[in-house]
Amino acid sequence: MKHFLLAGTLLTTSVGAMAQATYSIKGRVLDKLTGEALPGATVQVVGNGANTGAGAEENGSYLVPGLKPGTYTVRASFIGYKLLEQQVTVGSQNATATFNLTSDNATLNEVQVVGSLGVAVERSTPVAFAAVNEVKLRETLSNRDLPMILNETPGVYATQGGGGTGDSRINIRGFDQRNVAVLVNGVPVNDMETGQVFWSNWDLGDVTKSLQVQRGLSASKISVPSVGGSINVVTKGFDDKKAILARVETGSNSYQKYSLMLSTGTMKGDWAVTVYGSRRLSEGWVDKAFDDAWTYFGNISKRAGNHRISLTGMGSPQSHGTRSFAQQVGLFSTEKAQEIGAAPLANGDRGFKYNPYWGTLSRFTLDGSGNKVAQKQENLNERSNYYHKPQINLNDYWQVNSKLFVNAVAYASFGNGGGVTGLTTGNSSTILQNGTTLQTDFQRIYELNYNDPRNNPTRRSQQFLVNNVNSHRWYGGVLGADYSLGDKLTLSAGVDGRLYRGLHYREVRDLLGGDYTNLNPSITTAGNRNEDPTTRLYEGDKISYNYDGKTQWLGGYAQLEYKTPVLSAVVSGTVSQINYKRIDYFRPKQVTVDGQSYDVAFNQTQTINGRTYTAADGKTLETPWAEFTGYSVKAGANYNVTERNNLFVNVGHNSRVPFFNQVYTSQGQQYRDVKPEGITSVELGYGISYPSLKATLNAYYILWANKSTNSISTATGEPVYSTVRNVNARHMGVEMSVAQEISRSLQLNAAIAVADWRWVGQGLLNQVTESGIQVNQLDQPVYLDGVHVGDAAQNQFQLGLRYEPVRGFYVRPSLLVFSKYYAAFNPESILEENSRTDAYRLPTSKNLDLHFGYELRPMYNEKVRIGFRASVLNVLNEYYFTDVSNRNSTNVADPNLLQAFFNRGRTFTLGMSVGL
């Protein structure tokens, strides 16, 4: 009997325990378009006798506990967003529900607004992409340039170049940033003449709302010269929340940054204003690579009926020291030289911060007795950069009716500035270096310029500093429209126009003790050939070269998109007409007689048909317009196999017009047989999407035909500029990314890329000196077949965590490994087929960064938020190769000839923010 009573008691207790068992609903609340978290969002759970809820944490996660098994209605809401609800069933375990909220805008379709900026949408746009939201930017960017945060994206390789602030570069799938389209709010910012991106022109980390990297074929709706992919930066604006945010940061190398951002939120009359300003200073982690920058940003937006109008202005007037060229490995480190099999260098092992491009100088004057009266010693940079590129965008997003959406943007940019270098009267940028310190010997240069008896009493400077000015005036506009042909079909079309004028010249910056200078009269290929070569030039006068480059760009696109919840497919095409002209103010003026042009330089004459012409009869040399037509066609489809799985494929071909500097030599001569470059791409991808797990796997194959490369060598003392044309390259690889929410407090992300990039066939080489003298024969064959494409790591592995052990405190370690990194090299070194050898393969690199922070609970009626953040970059203080050129090489496999840059050592930043 006792046994029955005991059994009955145990059964009753077990049933009672089961009856009392409760579970939870958890998940995240996110912005549907950007993927960023929405901290503070409200989640309400009703039904089955419950009416409870919770607030979203900093990373957007929420947890509602104590729920009995049953079906519930779960609603997520946030100011400025539409309420969204789901039916969730709780069984014998916890349930998960993630919400992707869209902006609460009754007059405009937010998807169309962001879509017009070229931003891809998950499980819809058939491209491989990754997004970095505002939270991750704030927590992990630290004091780095914006591209550095993208190293956690598969297929991306970003470095800090020579180490100057803003001198970073990014490479996607083996294509450098000249071949990656960078857009800010839908406006292209790649240099119109070279394709380069100068990250020092903007300090956008604090005002970026989202950052998206599209690898391969871009979703952009304008004709952009993209090969490797595109980077879309979407800045703040149209913010619905009123906010004030002040930040103070400090760190290694005397780093300081102070910033303030104000946002009004939506005001009366549907106006919204966001303004931002910052001040940044640093000594730089490279010797004397100082950083001195201001940044401003402003956005005024207005909803006017069915229009959404936005005016944005931004810029970063800055100057910073640079380390222009990589150096032989042994100069930095004997250990690293031995690691790759290179011999130690005499007077080497100078440390990884070594920078040869600076020196000390005590300027002086002579008193009445001829004695020197010296001024205070100064540190002087031989090479630095100064620039200010204000950019203004005016956007109008117009929902004409339920079927038609129109987007128009007009923009203007006015770049002013350039780079500082040394120069000699022989027109060489290689100036005197101290043989002991291996720094620029400014003191000796000054004394030679001041005291050289050949100069007395006029003191002609033999070596001096110049500004290499690269200013521009850039105007453009984009007009696009989306028209719904039905519930499933949308037609998009538009035009993209740009006018660009680049102003290029050298001007005397600092005579370094002399009174004037000029180039040696014997140099007939540089300097102003329209004035007396003995004309004295003073500080501010133009020297060496002076030309303008003009670009006219007109492009159009058309796209047809089919979209259902299961299948989305797109077919699109672009066409662009691009014209180049070069206007040279220093080359001899020209007279034209009977359709034939003749040079008439200073103090020269030309007698034609019995008539004598002088320079006064001539006109400034203008080349005819060089006209090119480019186009692209692409098609892709995304198929949502299930609610959680999708497949996508895209194919395309891009006939890309060469850049300006691939059409003209440095002396203004047009290269022969310049062809558009053809890029063919195929990509397959598979995605998994659960509330707590997202994963993508994709493979790509890209063939680049008629590729052109430019390089510079200083092996002979005078720079030699090389262009290799009409060579092919084949890039293929596999990429995978995983993001897993293991628990509310622990998230994991990982990225893997495995690739093989090689040159195919042979190319044509042309070389000229800085004085414009042809080196070797025209169109010298070079033999590259099978050689690995260098300049970026082909294999990549990244692993990161975000752990929040207690509310408000997070730790984010990130481990990054790069391998199969081949040195960049001069293709011109392989002039015979039997001399072909592969590029040098560098050792594997690994880097560990650590970010952590603490957000205090809101104070003063939950209106004030105070946060603390810190980052330790390169925690293990390991040094590795980041950028490896071989510009002085005659044998690309010889490690003694490799020239490199290395990463920064262990550095830290600390920051505090106060928000209202």
PDB file of all heavy atoms in Angstrom, residues 1 25 36 60 260 265 285 296 309 313 352 377 396 435 483 548 601-602 621 626 654 687 705 744 852 885 910:
ATOM      1  N   MET A   1       0.820  -1.194   0.000  1.00  0.00           N
ATOM      2  CA  MET A   1       0.000   0.000   0.000  1.00  0.00           C
ATOM      3  C   MET A   1       0.858   1.249   0.000  1.00  0.00           C
ATOM      4  O   MET A   1       0.597   2.237  -0.700  1.00  0.00           O
ATOM      5  CB  MET A   1      -0.938  -0.024   1.213  1.00  0.00           C
ATOM      6  CG  MET A   1      -1.956   1.116   1.208  1.00  0.00           C
ATOM      7  SD  MET A   1      -3.136   0.941  -0.135  1.00  0.00           S
ATOM      8  CE  MET A   1      -4.182   2.345   0.158  1.00  0.00           C
ATOM      9  N   ILE A  25       9.727  33.183 -25.291  1.00  0.00           N
ATOM     10  CA  ILE A  25       9.852  33.567 -26.704  1.00  0.00           C
ATOM     11  C   ILE A  25      10.996  34.577 -26.778  1.00  0.00           C
ATOM     12  O   ILE A  25      11.017  35.556 -26.024  1.00  0.00           O
ATOM     13  CB  ILE A  25       8.556  34.196 -27.243  1.00  0.00           C
ATOM     14  CG1 ILE A  25       7.416  33.178 -27.206  1.00  0.00           C
ATOM     15  CG2 ILE A  25       8.765  34.689 -28.684  1.00  0.00           C
ATOM     16  CD1 ILE A  25       6.069  33.752 -27.657  1.00  0.00           C
ATOM     17  N   GLU A  36      20.273  46.483 -39.279  1.00  0.00           N
ATOM     18  CA  GLU A  36      20.814  46.938 -38.002  1.00  0.00           C
ATOM     19  C   GLU A  36      19.804  46.724 -36.882  1.00  0.00           C
ATOM     20  O   GLU A  36      18.592  46.689 -37.091  1.00  0.00           O
ATOM     21  CB  GLU A  36      21.222  48.401 -38.071  1.00  0.00           C
ATOM     22  CG  GLU A  36      20.085  49.365 -38.230  1.00  0.00           C
ATOM     23  CD  GLU A  36      20.565  50.807 -38.274  1.00  0.00           C
ATOM     24  OE1 GLU A  36      21.734  51.042 -38.609  1.00  0.00           O
ATOM     25  OE2 GLU A  36      19.753  51.689 -37.967  1.00  0.00           O
ATOM     26  N   GLY A  60      19.485  44.456 -30.258  1.00  0.00           N
ATOM     27  CA  GLY A  60      18.174  44.172 -30.815  1.00  0.00           C
ATOM     28  C   GLY A  60      17.496  42.937 -30.273  1.00  0.00           C
ATOM     29  O   GLY A  60      16.359  42.638 -30.631  1.00  0.00           O
ATOM     30  N   LEU A 260      30.561  65.632 -32.352  1.00  0.00           N
ATOM     31  CA  LEU A 260      29.231  65.985 -31.873  1.00  0.00           C
ATOM     32  C   LEU A 260      28.244  65.831 -33.026  1.00  0.00           C
ATOM     33  O   LEU A 260      28.500  66.318 -34.130  1.00  0.00           O
ATOM     34  CB  LEU A 260      29.212  67.423 -31.365  1.00  0.00           C
ATOM     35  CG  LEU A 260      27.847  67.958 -30.889  1.00  0.00           C
ATOM     36  CD1 LEU A 260      27.377  67.199 -29.653  1.00  0.00           C
ATOM     37  CD2 LEU A 260      27.933  69.453 -30.594  1.00  0.00           C
ATOM     38  N   GLY A 265      15.145  64.900 -35.413  1.00  0.00           N
ATOM     39  CA  GLY A 265      13.982  64.072 -35.621  1.00  0.00           C
ATOM     40  C   GLY A 265      13.012  64.787 -36.544  1.00  0.00           C
ATOM     41  O   GLY A 265      13.293  65.873 -37.060  1.00  0.00           O
ATOM     42  N   TRP A 285      50.957  56.054 -36.380  1.00  0.00           N
ATOM     43  CA  TRP A 285      51.727  54.891 -35.921  1.00  0.00           C
ATOM     44  C   TRP A 285      52.951  54.639 -36.793  1.00  0.00           C
ATOM     45  O   TRP A 285      53.809  53.839 -36.444  1.00  0.00           O
ATOM     46  CB  TRP A 285      50.842  53.644 -35.866  1.00  0.00           C
ATOM     47  CG  TRP A 285      50.216  53.222 -37.162  1.00  0.00           C
ATOM     48  CD1 TRP A 285      49.041  53.650 -37.686  1.00  0.00           C
ATOM     49  CD2 TRP A 285      50.737  52.261 -38.103  1.00  0.00           C
ATOM     50  NE1 TRP A 285      48.794  53.037 -38.889  1.00  0.00           N
ATOM     51  CE2 TRP A 285      49.808  52.173 -39.173  1.00  0.00           C
ATOM     52  CE3 TRP A 285      51.885  51.476 -38.148  1.00  0.00           C
ATOM     53  CZ2 TRP A 285      49.994  51.331 -40.260  1.00  0.00           C
ATOM     54  CZ3 TRP A 285      52.072  50.630 -39.230  1.00  0.00           C
ATOM     55  CH2 TRP A 285      51.137  50.566 -40.264  1.00  0.00           C
ATOM     56  N   TYR A 296      32.961  67.622 -41.403  1.00  0.00           N
ATOM     57  CA  TYR A 296      31.624  68.175 -41.240  1.00  0.00           C
ATOM     58  C   TYR A 296      30.651  67.389 -42.115  1.00  0.00           C
ATOM     59  O   TYR A 296      31.008  66.856 -43.170  1.00  0.00           O
ATOM     60  CB  TYR A 296      31.584  69.670 -41.606  1.00  0.00           C
ATOM     61  CG  TYR A 296      32.040  69.970 -43.018  1.00  0.00           C
ATOM     62  CD1 TYR A 296      31.156  69.940 -44.095  1.00  0.00           C
ATOM     63  CD2 TYR A 296      33.373  70.282 -43.278  1.00  0.00           C
ATOM     64  CE1 TYR A 296      31.572  70.207 -45.379  1.00  0.00           C
ATOM     65  CE2 TYR A 296      33.808  70.552 -44.571  1.00  0.00           C
ATOM     66  CZ  TYR A 296      32.895  70.520 -45.614  1.00  0.00           C
ATOM     67  OH  TYR A 296      33.321  70.780 -46.897  1.00  0.00           O
ATOM     68  N   ILE A 309      12.641  64.941 -50.068  1.00  0.00           N
ATOM     69  CA  ILE A 309      13.773  65.715 -50.566  1.00  0.00           C
ATOM     70  C   ILE A 309      14.864  65.736 -49.512  1.00  0.00           C
ATOM     71  O   ILE A 309      14.601  65.932 -48.321  1.00  0.00           O
ATOM     72  CB  ILE A 309      13.322  67.148 -50.921  1.00  0.00           C
ATOM     73  CG1 ILE A 309      12.215  67.100 -51.989  1.00  0.00           C
ATOM     74  CG2 ILE A 309      14.503  67.970 -51.429  1.00  0.00           C
ATOM     75  CD1 ILE A 309      11.545  68.422 -52.223  1.00  0.00           C
ATOM     76  N   GLY A 313      25.507  67.672 -47.401  1.00  0.00           N
ATOM     77  CA  GLY A 313      26.829  68.232 -47.653  1.00  0.00           C
ATOM     78  C   GLY A 313      27.830  67.635 -46.688  1.00  0.00           C
ATOM     79  O   GLY A 313      27.519  67.395 -45.513  1.00  0.00           O
ATOM     80  N   PHE A 352      59.387  48.610 -37.641  1.00  0.00           N
ATOM     81  CA  PHE A 352      58.271  48.600 -38.584  1.00  0.00           C
ATOM     82  C   PHE A 352      57.644  49.978 -38.779  1.00  0.00           C
ATOM     83  O   PHE A 352      56.865  50.177 -39.699  1.00  0.00           O
ATOM     84  CB  PHE A 352      57.221  47.597 -38.120  1.00  0.00           C
ATOM     85  CG  PHE A 352      57.729  46.178 -38.101  1.00  0.00           C
ATOM     86  CD1 PHE A 352      58.088  45.569 -36.909  1.00  0.00           C
ATOM     87  CD2 PHE A 352      57.875  45.470 -39.280  1.00  0.00           C
ATOM     88  CE1 PHE A 352      58.563  44.264 -36.887  1.00  0.00           C
ATOM     89  CE2 PHE A 352      58.352  44.169 -39.269  1.00  0.00           C
ATOM     90  CZ  PHE A 352      58.709  43.565 -38.070  1.00  0.00           C
ATOM     91  N   GLN A 377      64.683  74.116 -34.463  1.00  0.00           N
ATOM     92  CA  GLN A 377      64.652  72.939 -35.332  1.00  0.00           C
ATOM     93  C   GLN A 377      63.212  72.470 -35.545  1.00  0.00           C
ATOM     94  O   GLN A 377      62.404  72.459 -34.627  1.00  0.00           O
ATOM     95  CB  GLN A 377      65.483  71.806 -34.723  1.00  0.00           C
ATOM     96  CG  GLN A 377      65.624  70.595 -35.642  1.00  0.00           C
ATOM     97  CD  GLN A 377      66.458  69.494 -35.027  1.00  0.00           C
ATOM     98  OE1 GLN A 377      65.954  68.712 -34.226  1.00  0.00           O
ATOM     99  NE2 GLN A 377      67.733  69.451 -35.378  1.00  0.00           N
ATOM    100  N   ASP A 396      15.841  63.792 -54.637  1.00  0.00           N
ATOM    101  CA  ASP A 396      14.385  63.895 -54.619  1.00  0.00           C
ATOM    102  C   ASP A 396      13.814  62.514 -54.920  1.00  0.00           C
ATOM    103  O   ASP A 396      14.038  61.967 -56.011  1.00  0.00           O
ATOM    104  CB  ASP A 396      13.901  64.919 -55.643  1.00  0.00           C
ATOM    105  CG  ASP A 396      12.375  65.071 -55.637  1.00  0.00           C
ATOM    106  OD1 ASP A 396      11.734  64.544 -54.698  1.00  0.00           O
ATOM    107  OD2 ASP A 396      11.835  65.704 -56.560  1.00  0.00           O
ATOM    108  N   GLY A 435      72.963  59.309 -45.251  1.00  0.00           N
ATOM    109  CA  GLY A 435      73.411  57.927 -45.318  1.00  0.00           C
ATOM    110  C   GLY A 435      73.445  57.223 -43.975  1.00  0.00           C
ATOM    111  O   GLY A 435      73.493  55.992 -43.923  1.00  0.00           O
ATOM    112  N   TYR A 483       8.740  51.607 -62.691  1.00  0.00           N
ATOM    113  CA  TYR A 483       7.327  51.578 -63.070  1.00  0.00           C
ATOM    114  C   TYR A 483       6.800  50.156 -62.943  1.00  0.00           C
ATOM    115  O   TYR A 483       7.359  49.207 -63.517  1.00  0.00           O
ATOM    116  CB  TYR A 483       7.137  52.065 -64.510  1.00  0.00           C
ATOM    117  CG  TYR A 483       5.684  52.138 -64.917  1.00  0.00           C
ATOM    118  CD1 TYR A 483       4.866  53.154 -64.443  1.00  0.00           C
ATOM    119  CD2 TYR A 483       5.131  51.181 -65.765  1.00  0.00           C
ATOM    120  CE1 TYR A 483       3.537  53.229 -64.796  1.00  0.00           C
ATOM    121  CE2 TYR A 483       3.792  51.237 -66.129  1.00  0.00           C
ATOM    122  CZ  TYR A 483       3.006  52.267 -65.641  1.00  0.00           C
ATOM    123  OH  TYR A 483       1.682  52.322 -65.991  1.00  0.00           O
ATOM    124  N   ASP A 548      45.239  69.938 -67.834  1.00  0.00           N
ATOM    125  CA  ASP A 548      43.893  69.607 -67.384  1.00  0.00           C
ATOM    126  C   ASP A 548      43.439  68.341 -68.093  1.00  0.00           C
ATOM    127  O   ASP A 548      43.766  68.123 -69.270  1.00  0.00           O
ATOM    128  CB  ASP A 548      42.898  70.725 -67.714  1.00  0.00           C
ATOM    129  CG  ASP A 548      43.133  71.987 -66.890  1.00  0.00           C
ATOM    130  OD1 ASP A 548      43.974  71.945 -65.982  1.00  0.00           O
ATOM    131  OD2 ASP A 548      42.479  73.002 -67.190  1.00  0.00           O
ATOM    132  N   ALA A 601      57.566  76.253 -79.889  1.00  0.00           N
ATOM    133  CA  ALA A 601      57.911  76.517 -78.502  1.00  0.00           C
ATOM    134  C   ALA A 601      58.465  77.934 -78.362  1.00  0.00           C
ATOM    135  O   ALA A 601      58.618  78.678 -79.341  1.00  0.00           O
ATOM    136  CB  ALA A 601      58.927  75.492 -78.017  1.00  0.00           C
ATOM    137  N   PHE A 602      58.814  78.297 -77.110  1.00  0.00           N
ATOM    138  CA  PHE A 602      59.388  79.614 -76.834  1.00  0.00           C
ATOM    139  C   PHE A 602      60.660  79.817 -77.665  1.00  0.00           C
ATOM    140  O   PHE A 602      61.503  78.934 -77.771  1.00  0.00           O
ATOM    141  CB  PHE A 602      59.709  79.735 -75.339  1.00  0.00           C
ATOM    142  CG  PHE A 602      60.481  80.973 -74.988  1.00  0.00           C
ATOM    143  CD1 PHE A 602      59.838  82.191 -74.845  1.00  0.00           C
ATOM    144  CD2 PHE A 602      61.866  80.925 -74.835  1.00  0.00           C
ATOM    145  CE1 PHE A 602      60.556  83.338 -74.542  1.00  0.00           C
ATOM    146  CE2 PHE A 602      62.592  82.054 -74.533  1.00  0.00           C
ATOM    147  CZ  PHE A 602      61.930  83.280 -74.384  1.00  0.00           C
ATOM    148  N   LEU A 621      47.914  73.370 -76.549  1.00  0.00           N
ATOM    149  CA  LEU A 621      47.714  72.033 -77.102  1.00  0.00           C
ATOM    150  C   LEU A 621      46.513  71.351 -76.455  1.00  0.00           C
ATOM    151  O   LEU A 621      46.464  71.161 -75.243  1.00  0.00           O
ATOM    152  CB  LEU A 621      48.972  71.189 -76.888  1.00  0.00           C
ATOM    153  CG  LEU A 621      48.862  69.723 -77.303  1.00  0.00           C
ATOM    154  CD1 LEU A 621      48.590  69.606 -78.802  1.00  0.00           C
ATOM    155  CD2 LEU A 621      50.118  68.963 -76.927  1.00  0.00           C
ATOM    156  N   ALA A 626      39.074  61.661 -77.139  1.00  0.00           N
ATOM    157  CA  ALA A 626      39.204  60.209 -77.269  1.00  0.00           C
ATOM    158  C   ALA A 626      37.870  59.605 -76.846  1.00  0.00           C
ATOM    159  O   ALA A 626      37.465  59.752 -75.680  1.00  0.00           O
ATOM    160  CB  ALA A 626      40.342  59.691 -76.403  1.00  0.00           C
ATOM    161  N   ASN A 654      30.774  42.831 -68.907  1.00  0.00           N
ATOM    162  CA  ASN A 654      30.994  44.272 -68.796  1.00  0.00           C
ATOM    163  C   ASN A 654      32.104  44.665 -69.763  1.00  0.00           C
ATOM    164  O   ASN A 654      33.233  44.174 -69.642  1.00  0.00           O
ATOM    165  CB  ASN A 654      31.383  44.614 -67.350  1.00  0.00           C
ATOM    166  CG  ASN A 654      31.550  46.107 -67.129  1.00  0.00           C
ATOM    167  OD1 ASN A 654      31.395  46.903 -68.053  1.00  0.00           O
ATOM    168  ND2 ASN A 654      31.883  46.477 -65.911  1.00  0.00           N
ATOM    169  N   GLY A 687      21.785  30.195 -49.751  1.00  0.00           N
ATOM    170  CA  GLY A 687      21.649  30.858 -48.474  1.00  0.00           C
ATOM    171  C   GLY A 687      20.720  30.123 -47.534  1.00  0.00           C
ATOM    172  O   GLY A 687      19.768  29.461 -47.954  1.00  0.00           O
ATOM    173  N   ALA A 705      39.373  40.328 -69.766  1.00  0.00           N
ATOM    174  CA  ALA A 705      40.132  40.383 -71.015  1.00  0.00           C
ATOM    175  C   ALA A 705      40.623  41.811 -71.268  1.00  0.00           C
ATOM    176  O   ALA A 705      39.968  42.787 -70.907  1.00  0.00           O
ATOM    177  CB  ALA A 705      39.259  39.910 -72.180  1.00  0.00           C
ATOM    178  N   ARG A 744      20.985  34.584 -26.322  1.00  0.00           N
ATOM    179  CA  ARG A 744      20.745  36.020 -26.289  1.00  0.00           C
ATOM    180  C   ARG A 744      22.026  36.799 -26.051  1.00  0.00           C
ATOM    181  O   ARG A 744      22.214  37.903 -26.553  1.00  0.00           O
ATOM    182  CB  ARG A 744      19.745  36.363 -25.183  1.00  0.00           C
ATOM    183  CG  ARG A 744      19.323  37.828 -25.159  1.00  0.00           C
ATOM    184  CD  ARG A 744      18.799  38.246 -23.817  1.00  0.00           C
ATOM    185  NE  ARG A 744      19.846  38.228 -22.809  1.00  0.00           N
ATOM    186  CZ  ARG A 744      20.730  39.210 -22.630  1.00  0.00           C
ATOM    187  NH1 ARG A 744      20.720  40.259 -23.413  1.00  0.00           N
ATOM    188  NH2 ARG A 744      21.639  39.131 -21.674  1.00  0.00           N
ATOM    189  N   PHE A 852      35.573  45.982 -26.691  1.00  0.00           N
ATOM    190  CA  PHE A 852      34.645  45.797 -25.582  1.00  0.00           C
ATOM    191  C   PHE A 852      34.075  47.149 -25.170  1.00  0.00           C
ATOM    192  O   PHE A 852      34.634  48.208 -25.476  1.00  0.00           O
ATOM    193  CB  PHE A 852      35.292  45.085 -24.399  1.00  0.00           C
ATOM    194  CG  PHE A 852      36.629  45.624 -23.981  1.00  0.00           C
ATOM    195  CD1 PHE A 852      36.733  46.583 -22.979  1.00  0.00           C
ATOM    196  CD2 PHE A 852      37.796  45.171 -24.587  1.00  0.00           C
ATOM    197  CE1 PHE A 852      37.967  47.076 -22.593  1.00  0.00           C
ATOM    198  CE2 PHE A 852      39.030  45.663 -24.200  1.00  0.00           C
ATOM    199  CZ  PHE A 852      39.121  46.621 -23.204  1.00  0.00           C
ATOM    200  N   SER A 885      55.205  45.097 -52.806  1.00  0.00           N
ATOM    201  CA  SER A 885      55.449  45.423 -54.211  1.00  0.00           C
ATOM    202  C   SER A 885      56.808  44.866 -54.598  1.00  0.00           C
ATOM    203  O   SER A 885      57.568  44.397 -53.760  1.00  0.00           O
ATOM    204  CB  SER A 885      55.426  46.938 -54.416  1.00  0.00           C
ATOM    205  OG  SER A 885      56.545  47.524 -53.790  1.00  0.00           O
ATOM    206  N   LEU A 910      40.331  54.367 -26.515  1.00  0.00           N
ATOM    207  CA  LEU A 910      39.314  54.446 -25.476  1.00  0.00           C
ATOM    208  C   LEU A 910      38.344  55.541 -25.867  1.00  0.00           C
ATOM    209  O   LEU A 910      38.761  56.596 -26.364  1.00  0.00           O
ATOM    210  CB  LEU A 910      39.935  54.769 -24.115  1.00  0.00           C
ATOM    211  CG  LEU A 910      40.942  53.765 -23.540  1.00  0.00           C
ATOM    212  CD1 LEU A 910      41.603  54.351 -22.294  1.00  0.00           C
ATOM    213  CD2 LEU A 910      40.240  52.463 -23.193  1.00  0.00           C
TER     214      LEU A 910
END
